[in-house]
Amino acid sequence: MWSGPFEDPPVISQDLRLAWRVTERIVADARLAGEPIGVVAQNRVVTLTGVVGSVRARAVAGEVAGGFPGVADVCNRLETACPAGATTDPFEQLVAQWAGERPDPARLIRARLRRERLLKAAVVLAALSVVLLVLLPRLTTG
């Protein structure tokens, strides 16, 4: 009941209701037990904030939020507490490897030159094939 006869009932926006329901789902998920995850919704876009214990918890939280009915998109701004390279979890090591890789400019140039050489060789072989296909019948008949 409302505390006074002239007060309007509390209005809960759709975004607030969505954030509440997503928060309930995250809290109920055993894989995210004890992870402090903040949930905000705006125009059906859910934003996750906080610091979680692992890269896997970050991914699971995004998956849980994204799978909830009514969520149009997820902005996963969760951070991990420990460095990704300091773990023995294979999934986290793989993510750390991807995140830590920096393209080597010299290697990229070598790869591009290799592709260009292969392309030139393919063009030369194609031209030779055409020449042989055109000239070979003329040489054998004449």
Side-chain angles (χ1 to χ4, degrees), residues 12 20 25 27 30 39 41 53 70 73 86 116 121 128 131:
I12 299 177
W20 178 262
R25 178 81 52 99
V27 169
V39 179
D73 197 8
E116 288 175 1
L128 280 172
V131 167

Side-chain angles (χ1 to χ4, degrees), residues 6-93:
F6 300 109
E7 292 181 15
D8 290 332
V11 176
I12 299 177
S13 72
Q14 293 291 354
D15 286 332
L16 186 58
R17 183 176 289 120
L18 182 62
W20 178 262
R21 297 255 165 84
V22 170
T23 301
E24 286 178 330
R25 178 81 52 99
I26 287 174
V27 169
D29 194 304
R31 299 171 294 176
L32 299 171
E35 297 288 358
I37 299 172
V39 179
V40 176
Q42 184 175 12
N43 297 326
R44 296 179 35 218
V45 175
V46 172
T47 302
L48 304 175
T49 57
V51 179
V52 293
S54 67
V55 175
R56 182 175 300 234
R58 181 183 189 277
V60 168
E63 187 179 297
V64 168
F68 192 81
V71 173
D73 197 8
V74 176
C75 179
N76 194 339
R77 298 181 63 201
L78 291 171
E79 297 178 23
T80 54
C82 62
T87 181
T88 58
D89 184 5
F91 174 77
E92 292 186 26
Q93 288 177 351

